[in-house]
Coordinates of all heavy atoms in Angstrom, one line a residue:
M1 N 0.8 -1.2 0.0 CA 0.0 0.0 0.0 C 0.9 1.3 0.0 O 2.0 1.2 0.5 CB -0.9 0.0 1.2 CG -2.1 -0.8 1.1 SD -3.3 -0.3 2.4 CE -4.1 -1.8 2.6
A2 N 0.3 2.3 -0.5 CA 1.0 3.6 -0.5 C 0.0 4.7 -0.4 O -1.2 4.5 -0.7 CB 1.8 3.7 -1.8
L3 N 0.5 5.8 0.0 CA -0.3 7.1 0.1 C 0.1 8.0 -1.0 O 1.3 8.1 -1.3 CB -0.1 7.7 1.5 CG -0.4 6.9 2.7 CD1 -0.1 7.7 4.0 CD2 -1.8 6.4 2.7
K4 N -0.9 8.6 -1.6 CA -0.7 9.5 -2.8 C -1.1 10.9 -2.4 O -2.3 11.1 -2.1 CB -1.4 9.0 -4.0 CG -1.1 9.9 -5.2 CD -1.8 9.4 -6.4 CE -1.5 10.4 -7.6 NZ -2.2 10.0 -8.9
K5 N -0.1 11.8 -2.3 CA -0.4 13.2 -2.0 C 0.9 13.9 -2.3 O 2.0 13.5 -1.8 CB -0.8 13.4 -0.5 CG -1.1 14.8 -0.2 CD -1.6 15.0 1.2 CE -2.0 16.5 1.4 NZ -2.5 16.6 2.8
S6 N 0.8 15.0 -3.1 CA 2.0 15.8 -3.4 C 2.4 16.6 -2.2 O 1.6 17.5 -1.8 CB 1.8 16.6 -4.6 OG 3.0 17.3 -5.0
I7 N 3.6 16.4 -1.7 CA 4.1 17.1 -0.5 C 5.6 17.5 -0.8 O 6.3 16.6 -1.2 CB 4.0 16.3 0.8 CG1 2.6 15.8 1.0 CG2 4.6 17.0 2.0 CD1 2.5 14.8 2.1
I8 N 5.9 18.7 -0.5 CA 7.3 19.2 -0.7 C 8.3 18.6 0.3 O 8.0 18.6 1.5 CB 7.4 20.7 -0.7 CG1 6.5 21.3 -1.8 CG2 8.9 21.2 -0.8 CD1 7.0 21.0 -3.2
V9 N 9.4 18.0 -0.1 CA 10.4 17.6 0.8 C 11.4 18.8 0.9 O 12.1 19.2 0.0 CB 11.2 16.4 0.2 CG1 12.3 15.9 1.1 CG2 10.2 15.2 -0.1
A10 N 11.4 19.3 2.1 CA 12.1 20.6 2.3 C 13.6 20.5 2.0 O 14.2 21.4 1.5 CB 11.9 21.0 3.8
S11 N 14.2 19.4 2.3 CA 15.7 19.2 2.1 C 16.1 19.3 0.7 O 17.2 19.7 0.4 CB 16.2 17.9 2.8 OG 15.6 16.8 2.2
V12 N 15.2 18.9 -0.2 CA 15.6 18.9 -1.7 C 14.7 19.9 -2.4 O 15.0 20.2 -3.6 CB 15.5 17.5 -2.3 CG1 16.6 16.6 -1.7 CG2 14.1 16.9 -2.2
G13 N 13.7 20.5 -1.8 CA 12.8 21.4 -2.5 C 12.0 20.9 -3.6 O 11.5 21.6 -4.5
A14 N 11.8 19.6 -3.6 CA 11.1 18.9 -4.7 C 9.8 18.2 -4.1 O 9.9 17.8 -2.9 CB 11.9 17.9 -5.4
P15 N 8.8 18.0 -4.9 CA 7.6 17.3 -4.4 C 7.8 15.8 -4.4 O 8.4 15.2 -5.3 CB 6.5 17.7 -5.4 CG 7.2 18.0 -6.7 CD 8.6 18.5 -6.3
A16 N 7.3 15.1 -3.4 CA 7.2 13.7 -3.4 C 5.7 13.4 -3.5 O 4.9 14.0 -2.8 CB 7.8 13.1 -2.1
E17 N 5.3 12.5 -4.3 CA 3.9 12.2 -4.5 C 3.5 10.9 -3.9 O 2.3 10.7 -3.5 CB 3.5 12.2 -6.0 CG 2.1 12.0 -6.3 CD 1.7 12.2 -7.7 OE1 1.8 11.1 -8.4 OE2 1.4 13.3 -8.1
I18 N 4.4 9.9 -3.8 CA 4.1 8.6 -3.3 C 4.8 8.3 -2.0 O 6.0 8.5 -1.9 CB 4.4 7.5 -4.3 CG1 3.7 7.7 -5.6 CG2 4.1 6.1 -3.8 CD1 2.1 7.7 -5.5
H19 N 4.1 7.8 -1.0 CA 4.7 7.6 0.3 C 4.3 6.2 0.8 O 3.1 5.8 0.8 CB 4.1 8.7 1.3 CG 4.0 10.0 0.7 ND1 5.2 10.9 0.8 CD2 3.1 10.7 0.1 CE1 4.8 12.0 0.1 NE2 3.6 11.9 -0.3
T20 N 5.3 5.5 1.2 CA 5.1 4.1 1.7 C 5.4 4.0 3.2 O 6.4 4.6 3.7 CB 6.0 3.1 0.9 OG1 7.4 3.4 1.1 CG2 5.6 3.1 -0.5
V21 N 4.6 3.2 3.9 CA 4.9 2.9 5.3 C 5.8 1.7 5.2 O 5.4 0.6 4.8 CB 3.7 2.6 6.1 CG1 4.0 2.2 7.5 CG2 2.7 3.8 6.1
D22 N 7.1 1.9 5.6 CA 8.1 0.8 5.6 C 7.9 -0.1 6.8 O 8.1 -1.3 6.7 CB 9.5 1.4 5.6 CG 9.7 2.2 4.3 OD1 9.1 2.0 3.3 OD2 10.5 3.2 4.4
S23 N 7.6 0.5 8.0 CA 7.4 -0.3 9.2 C 6.7 0.6 10.2 O 6.6 1.8 10.0 CB 8.8 -0.7 9.7 OG 9.6 0.4 10.1
F24 N 6.3 -0.1 11.2 CA 5.6 0.7 12.4 C 5.9 0.0 13.6 O 6.1 -1.3 13.7 CB 4.1 0.9 12.2 CG 3.3 -0.3 12.0 CD1 2.8 -1.0 13.1 CD2 3.1 -0.9 10.8 CE1 2.0 -2.1 13.0 CE2 2.4 -2.0 10.6 CZ 1.8 -2.6 11.7
T25 N 6.0 0.7 14.7 CA 6.3 0.2 16.0 C 5.2 0.6 17.0 O 4.8 1.8 17.0 CB 7.6 0.7 16.6 OG1 8.6 0.4 15.6 CG2 7.9 0.1 17.9
V26 N 4.6 -0.4 17.7 CA 3.5 -0.1 18.6 C 4.1 -0.1 20.0 O 4.8 -1.0 20.5 CB 2.4 -1.2 18.5 CG1 1.4 -1.0 19.6 CG2 1.8 -1.2 17.1
N27 N 3.8 1.0 20.8 CA 4.2 1.1 22.2 C 2.9 1.0 23.0 O 2.2 2.0 23.2 CB 4.9 2.4 22.4 CG 5.4 2.6 23.8 OD1 4.9 2.1 24.8 ND2 6.5 3.3 23.9
D28 N 2.6 -0.2 23.5 CA 1.4 -0.4 24.3 C 1.4 0.5 25.6 O 0.3 1.0 26.0 CB 1.2 -1.8 24.7 CG 0.6 -2.6 23.6 OD1 -0.3 -2.1 22.8 OD2 0.9 -3.8 23.4
K29 N 2.5 0.6 26.2 CA 2.6 1.4 27.5 C 2.2 2.8 27.3 O 1.5 3.4 28.0 CB 3.9 1.2 28.1 CG 4.0 1.8 29.5 CD 5.4 1.4 30.1 CE 5.4 2.0 31.6 NZ 6.6 1.6 32.2
A30 N 2.8 3.4 26.2 CA 2.6 4.8 25.9 C 1.3 5.1 25.1 O 0.9 6.2 24.8 CB 3.8 5.4 25.2
K31 N 0.7 4.0 24.6 CA -0.5 4.1 23.7 C -0.2 4.9 22.5 O -0.9 5.8 22.1 CB -1.7 4.6 24.5 CG -2.1 3.7 25.6 CD -2.6 2.3 25.2 CE -3.0 1.5 26.4 NZ -2.8 0.1 26.2
S32 N 0.9 4.6 21.8 CA 1.3 5.3 20.6 C 1.9 4.4 19.6 O 2.3 3.3 20.0 CB 2.3 6.5 20.9 OG 3.5 5.9 21.4
T33 N 1.9 4.8 18.4 CA 2.5 4.1 17.3 C 3.4 5.0 16.5 O 3.0 6.1 16.2 CB 1.3 3.5 16.4 OG1 0.5 2.7 17.2 CG2 1.9 2.7 15.2
T34 N 4.5 4.5 16.1 CA 5.5 5.2 15.3 C 5.6 4.6 13.9 O 5.9 3.4 13.8 CB 6.9 5.3 15.9 OG1 6.8 5.9 17.2 CG2 7.8 6.1 15.1
A35 N 5.3 5.3 12.9 CA 5.4 4.9 11.5 C 6.6 5.4 10.8 O 6.9 6.6 10.9 CB 4.1 5.3 10.7
S36 N 7.4 4.5 10.2 CA 8.5 4.9 9.4 C 8.2 4.9 8.0 O 7.6 3.9 7.5 CB 9.7 3.9 9.7 OG 10.1 4.0 11.0
L37 N 8.4 6.0 7.3 CA 7.9 6.1 5.9 C 9.1 6.5 4.9 O 10.1 7.0 5.4 CB 6.9 7.2 5.8 CG 5.6 7.0 6.5 CD1 5.5 7.7 7.8 CD2 4.4 7.4 5.7
S38 N 8.9 6.2 3.7 CA 9.7 6.6 2.6 C 8.8 7.4 1.6 O 7.7 7.0 1.3 CB 10.4 5.4 1.9 OG 11.3 4.8 2.7
S39 N 9.4 8.5 1.0 CA 8.6 9.3 0.1 C 9.4 9.3 -1.3 O 10.6 9.5 -1.3 CB 8.5 10.7 0.6 OG 7.6 10.7 1.7
Y40 N 8.6 9.1 -2.4 CA 9.2 9.0 -3.7 C 8.5 10.1 -4.6 O 7.4 10.5 -4.4 CB 8.9 7.6 -4.3 CG 9.5 6.5 -3.5 CD1 8.8 5.9 -2.4 CD2 10.7 6.0 -3.8 CE1 9.4 4.9 -1.7 CE2 11.3 5.0 -3.1 CZ 10.7 4.5 -2.0 OH 11.2 3.5 -1.3
Y41 N 9.3 10.4 -5.6 CA 8.8 11.4 -6.6 C 7.5 11.0 -7.3 O 6.6 11.7 -7.5 CB 9.9 11.7 -7.6 CG 9.5 12.7 -8.6 CD1 9.4 14.1 -8.3 CD2 9.1 12.4 -9.9 CE1 9.0 15.0 -9.3 CE2 8.8 13.3 -10.9 CZ 8.7 14.6 -10.5 OH 8.3 15.6 -11.4
S42 N 7.4 9.7 -7.6 CA 6.2 9.2 -8.4 C 6.1 7.6 -8.1 O 7.0 7.0 -7.6 CB 6.4 9.5 -9.8 OG 7.5 8.8 -10.4
T43 N 5.0 7.1 -8.6 CA 4.9 5.6 -8.6 C 5.9 5.0 -9.5 O 6.4 3.9 -9.2 CB 3.4 5.2 -9.0 OG1 3.1 5.8 -10.3 CG2 2.4 5.6 -8.0
S44 N 6.3 5.6 -10.5 CA 7.3 5.1 -11.4 C 8.7 5.0 -10.7 O 9.3 4.0 -10.9 CB 7.5 6.0 -12.6 OG 8.5 5.6 -13.5
A45 N 9.0 6.0 -9.9 CA 10.2 5.9 -9.2 C 10.2 4.8 -8.2 O 11.2 4.1 -8.0 CB 10.5 7.3 -8.5
L46 N 9.1 4.6 -7.5 CA 8.9 3.5 -6.6 C 9.1 2.2 -7.3 O 9.8 1.3 -6.9 CB 7.6 3.6 -5.9 CG 7.2 2.4 -4.9 CD1 8.2 2.3 -3.8 CD2 5.8 2.6 -4.4
A47 N 8.4 2.0 -8.4 CA 8.4 0.8 -9.2 C 9.8 0.4 -9.7 O 10.1 -0.7 -9.9 CB 7.4 0.8 -10.4
Q48 N 10.6 1.5 -10.1 CA 11.9 1.3 -10.6 C 12.9 1.0 -9.5 O 14.1 0.7 -9.8 CB 12.4 2.5 -11.4 CG 11.6 2.7 -12.6 CD 12.1 4.0 -13.3 OE1 13.3 4.2 -13.6 NE2 11.1 4.9 -13.6
G49 N 12.5 1.0 -8.3 CA 13.4 0.8 -7.2 C 14.4 1.9 -6.9 O 15.5 1.7 -6.3
L50 N 14.0 3.1 -7.3 CA 14.9 4.3 -7.1 C 14.9 4.7 -5.6 O 14.0 4.3 -4.9 CB 14.4 5.5 -7.9 CG 14.5 5.2 -9.5 CD1 13.9 6.5 -10.2 CD2 15.9 4.9 -9.9
S51 N 15.9 5.4 -5.2 CA 16.0 5.8 -3.8 C 14.9 6.8 -3.5 O 14.5 7.6 -4.3 CB 17.3 6.5 -3.5 OG 18.4 5.5 -3.7
P52 N 14.4 6.8 -2.2 CA 13.4 7.8 -1.9 C 14.0 9.1 -1.7 O 15.2 9.3 -1.5 CB 12.9 7.2 -0.5 CG 14.0 6.4 0.0 CD 14.7 5.8 -1.2
L53 N 13.1 10.2 -1.9 CA 13.6 11.5 -1.6 C 13.7 11.8 -0.2 O 14.5 12.7 0.2 CB 12.5 12.5 -2.2 CG 12.4 12.5 -3.7 CD1 11.3 13.5 -4.2 CD2 13.7 13.0 -4.4
A54 N 13.0 11.1 0.7 CA 13.0 11.3 2.1 C 12.6 10.0 2.8 O 11.8 9.2 2.3 CB 12.1 12.4 2.5
Q55 N 13.2 9.8 4.0 CA 12.9 8.7 4.9 C 12.7 9.4 6.3 O 13.6 10.1 6.7 CB 13.9 7.6 4.9 CG 13.9 6.9 3.6 CD 14.9 5.7 3.6 OE1 16.1 5.9 3.8 NE2 14.4 4.5 3.4
F56 N 11.6 9.1 7.0 CA 11.3 9.8 8.2 C 10.3 9.0 9.0 O 9.8 8.0 8.6 CB 10.8 11.2 8.0 CG 9.7 11.2 7.0 CD1 8.4 11.3 7.5 CD2 9.8 11.1 5.7 CE1 7.3 11.2 6.7 CE2 8.8 11.1 4.8 CZ 7.5 11.2 5.3
S57 N 10.1 9.5 10.2 CA 9.1 8.8 11.1 C 8.0 9.8 11.5 O 8.2 11.0 11.5 CB 9.7 8.3 12.4 OG 10.6 7.3 12.1
V58 N 6.8 9.3 11.8 CA 5.6 10.1 12.2 C 5.1 9.4 13.5 O 4.8 8.2 13.4 CB 4.5 10.2 11.1 CG1 3.3 10.9 11.7 CG2 5.1 10.9 9.9
Q59 N 4.9 10.2 14.5 CA 4.3 9.6 15.8 C 2.8 9.8 15.7 O 2.3 10.8 15.4 CB 4.9 10.5 16.9 CG 4.5 10.0 18.3 CD 5.2 8.8 18.8 OE1 6.4 8.6 18.4 NE2 4.7 8.0 19.6
L60 N 2.1 8.7 16.0 CA 0.7 8.6 16.0 C 0.1 8.3 17.3 O 0.7 7.5 18.1 CB 0.2 7.5 15.0 CG 0.7 7.6 13.5 CD1 0.4 6.4 12.8 CD2 0.1 8.9 12.9
D61 N -1.0 9.0 17.7 CA -1.7 8.6 18.9 C -2.4 7.3 18.8 O -3.0 7.1 17.8 CB -2.6 9.7 19.3 CG -1.9 11.0 19.7 OD1 -0.8 11.0 20.2 OD2 -2.5 12.1 19.5
G62 N -2.4 6.5 19.8 CA -3.2 5.3 19.8 C -2.4 4.1 19.3 O -1.3 4.2 18.7
V63 N -3.0 2.9 19.4 CA -2.5 1.7 19.0 C -3.6 0.9 18.3 O -4.8 1.2 18.5 CB -1.9 0.8 20.1 CG1 -0.7 1.5 20.8 CG2 -2.9 0.5 21.1
P64 N -3.3 -0.1 17.4 CA -4.4 -0.9 16.8 C -5.2 -1.6 17.9 O -4.7 -2.0 18.9 CB -3.6 -1.9 16.0 CG -2.2 -1.3 15.8 CD -2.0 -0.5 17.0
T65 N -6.5 -1.7 17.7 CA -7.3 -2.4 18.6 C -7.1 -3.9 18.4 O -6.6 -4.3 17.4 CB -8.8 -2.1 18.4 OG1 -9.2 -2.4 17.0 CG2 -9.1 -0.6 18.7
K66 N -7.5 -4.7 19.4 CA -7.3 -6.2 19.3 C -8.0 -6.7 18.0 O -9.2 -6.4 17.8 CB -7.9 -6.8 20.5 CG -7.7 -8.3 20.5 CD -8.1 -8.9 21.8 CE -7.8 -10.4 21.8 NZ -8.0 -11.1 23.1
G67 N -7.3 -7.4 17.2 CA -7.8 -8.0 15.9 C -7.7 -7.0 14.8 O -7.9 -7.5 13.6
Q68 N -7.4 -5.7 14.9 CA -7.3 -4.8 13.8 C -5.9 -5.0 13.1 O -4.9 -5.1 13.8 CB -7.4 -3.4 14.4 CG -7.3 -2.3 13.3 CD -7.5 -0.9 13.8 OE1 -7.2 -0.6 15.0 NE2 -7.9 0.0 13.0
D69 N -5.9 -5.0 11.9 CA -4.7 -5.0 11.1 C -3.9 -3.7 11.4 O -4.4 -2.6 11.2 CB -4.9 -5.2 9.6 CG -3.7 -5.4 8.8 OD1 -2.9 -4.4 8.7 OD2 -3.5 -6.5 8.3
G70 N -2.6 -3.9 11.8 CA -1.8 -2.7 12.1 C -1.6 -1.8 10.9 O -1.5 -0.6 11.1
R71 N -1.5 -2.3 9.8 CA -1.3 -1.5 8.6 C -2.5 -0.7 8.3 O -2.4 0.5 7.9 CB -1.0 -2.4 7.3 CG 0.4 -3.1 7.5 CD 0.5 -4.2 6.4 NE -0.5 -5.2 6.7 CZ -0.5 -6.5 6.3 NH1 0.5 -6.8 5.5 NH2 -1.4 -7.3 6.6
D72 N -3.7 -1.2 8.5 CA -4.9 -0.4 8.3 C -5.0 0.7 9.3 O -5.4 1.8 9.0 CB -6.1 -1.3 8.4 CG -6.3 -2.3 7.2 OD1 -5.7 -2.0 6.2 OD2 -7.0 -3.3 7.4
F73 N -4.6 0.4 10.6 CA -4.6 1.4 11.7 C -3.7 2.5 11.3 O -4.1 3.7 11.4 CB -4.2 0.8 13.0 CG -3.9 1.8 14.0 CD1 -5.0 2.4 14.7 CD2 -2.6 2.3 14.3 CE1 -4.8 3.4 15.7 CE2 -2.4 3.3 15.2 CZ -3.5 3.8 15.9
V74 N -2.5 2.3 10.8 CA -1.5 3.3 10.5 C -2.0 4.1 9.3 O -2.0 5.3 9.4 CB -0.1 2.7 10.2 CG1 0.8 3.7 9.6 CG2 0.5 2.1 11.5
N75 N -2.4 3.5 8.2 CA -2.9 4.2 7.1 C -4.1 5.1 7.4 O -4.2 6.2 7.0 CB -3.3 3.3 5.9 CG -2.1 2.8 5.2 OD1 -1.0 3.4 5.1 ND2 -2.2 1.6 4.7
D76 N -5.1 4.6 8.2 CA -6.2 5.3 8.6 C -5.8 6.6 9.4 O -6.3 7.7 9.2 CB -7.2 4.5 9.3 CG -7.9 3.5 8.5 OD1 -7.8 3.6 7.2 OD2 -8.6 2.6 9.0
A77 N -4.9 6.3 10.3 CA -4.4 7.4 11.2 C -3.7 8.5 10.4 O -3.8 9.7 10.6 CB -3.5 6.9 12.3
L78 N -2.9 8.1 9.5 CA -2.1 9.0 8.7 C -3.0 9.9 7.8 O -2.7 11.1 7.6 CB -1.1 8.3 7.8 CG 0.1 7.8 8.5 CD1 1.0 6.9 7.6 CD2 1.0 8.9 9.1
I79 N -4.0 9.4 7.2 CA -4.9 10.2 6.3 C -6.0 10.9 7.0 O -6.7 11.6 6.4 CB -5.5 9.3 5.2 CG1 -6.4 8.3 5.7 CG2 -4.3 8.6 4.4 CD1 -7.2 7.5 4.6
A80 N -6.1 10.7 8.3 CA -7.2 11.4 9.1 C -7.0 13.0 9.0 O -5.8 13.5 9.0 CB -7.2 11.0 10.5
A81 N -8.1 13.7 9.0 CA -8.0 15.1 8.9 C -7.5 15.7 10.3 O -7.8 15.1 11.3 CB -9.4 15.7 8.6
A82 N -6.9 16.8 10.2 CA -6.5 17.5 11.4 C -7.7 18.1 12.1 O -8.6 18.5 11.4 CB -5.5 18.6 11.1
P83 N -7.7 18.1 13.4 CA -8.9 18.7 14.2 C -8.9 20.2 13.8 O -7.9 20.8 13.5 CB -8.5 18.5 15.6 CG -7.5 17.3 15.6 CD -6.8 17.4 14.3
D84 N -10.1 20.7 13.9 CA -10.3 22.2 13.6 C -9.4 23.0 14.5 O -9.2 22.7 15.7 CB -11.8 22.6 13.9 CG -12.8 22.0 12.9 OD1 -12.3 21.7 11.8 OD2 -13.9 21.9 13.3
G85 N -8.8 23.9 13.9 CA -7.9 24.9 14.6 C -6.4 24.4 14.8 O -5.6 25.1 15.2
V86 N -6.2 23.1 14.4 CA -4.8 22.6 14.5 C -4.0 23.0 13.3 O -4.3 22.8 12.2 CB -4.8 21.1 14.7 CG1 -3.4 20.5 14.6 CG2 -5.5 20.6 15.9
Q87 N -2.9 23.7 13.6 CA -2.0 24.2 12.5 C -0.8 23.2 12.5 O -0.4 22.7 13.5 CB -1.4 25.6 12.8 CG -2.5 26.6 13.0 CD -3.2 26.9 11.6 OE1 -2.5 27.0 10.6 NE2 -4.5 27.0 11.6
F88 N -0.3 23.0 11.3 CA 0.8 22.0 11.1 C 1.7 22.4 9.9 O 1.2 23.1 9.0 CB 0.4 20.6 11.0 CG -0.5 20.3 9.8 CD1 0.1 19.9 8.6 CD2 -1.9 20.4 9.8 CE1 -0.7 19.7 7.5 CE2 -2.7 20.2 8.7 CZ -2.1 19.8 7.6
D89 N 2.9 22.0 9.9 CA 3.9 22.2 8.9 C 3.5 21.3 7.7 O 3.5 20.1 7.9 CB 5.3 21.9 9.4 CG 6.4 22.3 8.4 OD1 6.0 22.7 7.3 OD2 7.5 22.1 8.7
P90 N 3.2 21.9 6.5 CA 2.8 21.1 5.4 C 3.9 20.5 4.6 O 3.7 20.0 3.5 CB 2.0 22.1 4.5 CG 2.7 23.4 4.8 CD 3.1 23.3 6.2
L91 N 5.1 20.5 5.1 CA 6.3 19.9 4.4 C 6.8 18.7 5.1 O 6.6 18.5 6.3 CB 7.4 21.0 4.5 CG 7.2 22.4 3.9 CD1 8.3 23.3 4.1 CD2 6.8 22.3 2.4
I92 N 7.6 17.9 4.4 CA 8.3 16.8 4.9 C 9.7 17.3 5.3 O 10.4 17.8 4.4 CB 8.4 15.6 4.0 CG1 7.0 15.0 3.7 CG2 9.4 14.6 4.5 CD1 7.0 14.0 2.6
Q93 N 10.0 17.4 6.5 CA 11.3 17.9 7.0 C 12.3 16.8 7.1 O 11.9 15.6 7.2 CB 11.1 18.6 8.4 CG 10.2 19.8 8.3 CD 10.8 21.0 7.6 OE1 11.9 21.0 7.2 NE2 9.9 22.0 7.4
Q94 N 13.6 17.1 7.3 CA 14.6 16.1 7.4 C 14.4 15.2 8.6 O 14.7 14.0 8.6 CB 16.0 16.7 7.4 CG 17.1 15.8 7.4 CD 18.4 16.5 7.3 OE1 18.5 17.7 7.5 NE2 19.5 15.7 7.0
Y95 N 13.9 15.8 9.7 CA 13.7 15.1 11.0 C 12.4 14.4 11.1 O 12.2 13.6 12.0 CB 13.9 16.0 12.1 CG 13.0 17.2 12.0 CD1 11.7 17.2 12.5 CD2 13.4 18.4 11.5 CE1 10.8 18.2 12.4 CE2 12.6 19.5 11.4 CZ 11.2 19.4 11.8 OH 10.4 20.4 11.7
G96 N 11.5 14.7 10.2 CA 10.1 14.0 10.3 C 9.1 14.9 9.6 O 9.4 15.8 8.9
A97 N 7.8 14.5 9.8 CA 6.8 15.3 9.3 C 5.7 15.4 10.3 O 5.6 14.6 11.3 CB 6.2 14.5 8.0
S98 N 4.8 16.4 10.1 CA 3.7 16.6 11.0 C 2.8 15.3 11.0 O 2.6 14.7 10.0 CB 2.9 17.8 10.6 OG 1.6 17.8 11.2
R99 N 2.2 15.1 12.1 CA 1.2 14.0 12.2 C 0.1 14.1 11.1 O -0.5 13.1 10.7 CB 0.7 14.1 13.6 CG -0.7 13.7 13.9 CD -0.8 12.2 14.2 NE -2.2 11.7 14.1 CZ -2.9 11.4 13.0 NH1 -2.4 11.7 11.9 NH2 -4.0 10.9 13.1
Y100 N -0.3 15.3 10.7 CA -1.4 15.6 9.8 C -1.0 15.9 8.3 O -1.8 16.2 7.5 CB -2.3 16.7 10.3 CG -2.9 16.3 11.7 CD1 -2.4 16.9 12.8 CD2 -3.8 15.3 11.8 CE1 -2.9 16.5 14.1 CE2 -4.4 14.9 13.0 CZ -3.9 15.6 14.1 OH -4.4 15.2 15.3
V101 N 0.3 15.8 8.0 CA 0.7 16.1 6.6 C 0.1 15.3 5.6 O -0.1 15.7 4.4 CB 2.3 16.1 6.5 CG1 2.8 14.7 6.5 CG2 2.8 17.0 5.4
F102 N -0.3 14.1 5.9 CA -0.9 13.2 4.9 C -2.5 13.2 4.9 O -3.1 12.4 4.3 CB -0.5 11.7 5.1 CG 1.0 11.5 5.0 CD1 1.8 11.4 6.1 CD2 1.6 11.5 3.7 CE1 3.2 11.3 5.9 CE2 2.9 11.4 3.5 CZ 3.8 11.3 4.7
A103 N -3.1 14.2 5.6 CA -4.5 14.3 5.7 C -5.1 14.3 4.3 O -4.6 15.0 3.4 CB -4.9 15.5 6.4
A104 N -6.1 13.4 4.1 CA -6.9 13.3 2.8 C -6.1 12.7 1.7 O -6.5 12.8 0.5 CB -7.4 14.7 2.4
A105 N -5.0 12.1 2.0 CA -4.2 11.4 1.0 C -5.0 10.2 0.4 O -5.8 9.6 1.1 CB -2.9 10.9 1.5
E106 N -4.8 9.9 -0.8 CA -5.4 8.7 -1.4 C -4.6 7.5 -1.1 O -3.4 7.5 -1.2 CB -5.5 8.9 -2.9 CG -6.1 7.8 -3.7 CD -6.0 8.0 -5.2 OE1 -5.6 9.0 -5.7 OE2 -6.4 7.0 -5.9
V107 N -5.3 6.4 -0.7 CA -4.6 5.1 -0.4 C -4.6 4.3 -1.7 O -5.6 4.0 -2.3 CB -5.3 4.3 0.7 CG1 -4.6 3.0 0.9 CG2 -5.3 5.2 1.9
L108 N -3.4 3.9 -2.1 CA -3.1 3.1 -3.4 C -2.8 1.7 -3.0 O -2.1 1.5 -2.1 CB -2.1 3.8 -4.2 CG -2.2 5.2 -4.7 CD1 -1.0 5.6 -5.5 CD2 -3.4 5.4 -5.5
D109 N -3.1 0.8 -3.9 CA -2.7 -0.6 -3.7 C -1.6 -0.9 -4.7 O -1.9 -1.3 -5.8 CB -3.9 -1.5 -4.0 CG -3.6 -3.0 -3.6 OD1 -2.7 -3.2 -2.8 OD2 -4.2 -3.9 -4.2
V110 N -0.4 -0.5 -4.3 CA 0.8 -0.7 -5.1 C 1.7 -1.7 -4.5 O 1.8 -2.0 -3.4 CB 1.5 0.6 -5.5 CG1 0.7 1.5 -6.3 CG2 2.0 1.2 -4.2

């Protein structure tokens, strides 16, 4: 699966359109999940095995419920809209990205 949304990668000044969740870690004690992502210029770049424009982590509130697929939890959390009044940085920074930078992204089956 991948997320499709054009987001500027600040370190290179170029847009990345395709974002894959490479892995995620669930912290039951803290009730949080950390997703590690890679961002690519296009689906073609991903398909060709080219290097990502960025690799970073996003901290998510909550953990998958019992029996819920962790990948579905992470994708749903990443594309969720920001609450009213919440401001966030719309860029992918070298150290990470805002929890809401992927709001309204399209989920692709690639």
